Amino acid sequence: MTERQNPDLPSYAAPAARRSFRRIKLGLFLSSLAACLFVAIIGTVCTRILMLVMGITGAAMNYGMLSGGGFIGGMSGAFQLASYNFLLFFINVPAAWLALGLSIGRLPYRSIVRRPPFIRWGSIWGAILVGATTSLFGFLEGFISGVGAVAGGAFVGALAGALCGWLFHAIVQPANQLTDVDVDVF
């Protein structure tokens, strides 16, 4: 006798049906490579924008970019560390692969196929990974500098993670894979 499922339960609370998805590993690999590249590009753009704003407002004349240990100094340091993210790709790519694999890589198996959860969890894990690594160097200068480094790193990581979540969803296309009918005979 089969067990009748409760239709009132949300999809994540129902027993998981064993389903095979294609392109999960490809999506994770390409998203983790893109994460390394996106963090470097966003960090470089944010560094240039911060330097431009400080130059326009005249704050660059009275404030050293990395000296002083203030909030802006920590944020500037986080942006500069993020811009050199590609130099440590052999550490960053496996870390991103692991974080994305344990978060958004499991969503299709839970029948979550809409794009917003992929973008949200990619953004959350990007903010955690980049914010944590930049905060390590920011807190060496002082507490206020560390808070600036956390804020700057979390901003860069959240943007890059959202792009990676979008890319993963575009590669895997879980909604199409759930609706495909398998007609293999042999």
Side-chain angles (χ1 to χ4, degrees), residues 21 24 28 99-110 118 168:
F21 284 91
I24 295 277
L28 289 174
L100 292 174
L102 293 176
S103 60
I104 65 174
R106 299 175 60 106
L107 294 181
Y109 295 106
R110 301 246 181 213
F118 289 89
F168 179 81

Side-chain angles (χ1 to χ4, degrees), residues 72-130:
I72 300 295
M75 190 176 284
S76 173
F79 291 157
Q80 289 177 9
L81 282 172
S83 66
Y84 290 110
N85 189 42
F86 63 90
L87 292 176
L88 296 174
F89 72 93
F90 52 89
I91 296 171
N92 296 331
V93 171
W97 191 338
L98 182 66
L100 292 174
L102 293 176
S103 60
I104 65 174
R106 299 175 60 106
L107 294 181
Y109 295 106
R110 301 246 181 213
S111 298
I112 299 173
V113 296
R114 293 182 51 238
R115 186 175 295 133
F118 289 89
I119 293 174
R120 181 180 336 126
W121 282 104
S123 181
I124 288 170
W125 277 104
I128 289 171
L129 289 174
V130 179

Side-chain angles (χ1 to χ4, degrees), residues 9-70:
L9 290 175
S11 64
Y12 60 83
R18 191 70 182 140
R19 173 105 175 138
S20 173
F21 284 91
R22 297 179 309 272
R23 300 187 301 269
I24 295 277
K25 291 178 185 169
L26 174 68
L28 289 174
F29 178 67
L30 292 178
S31 293
S32 62
L33 284 176
C36 184
L37 184 64
F38 287 153
V39 167
I41 290 171
I42 294 170
T44 302
V45 168
C46 288
T47 300
R48 298 300 174 201
I49 289 173
L50 184 64
M51 292 171 110
L52 179 68
V53 168
M54 289 181 70
I56 289 173
T57 60
M61 300 297 273
N62 302 326
Y63 190 82
M65 287 297 279
L66 290 177
S67 63

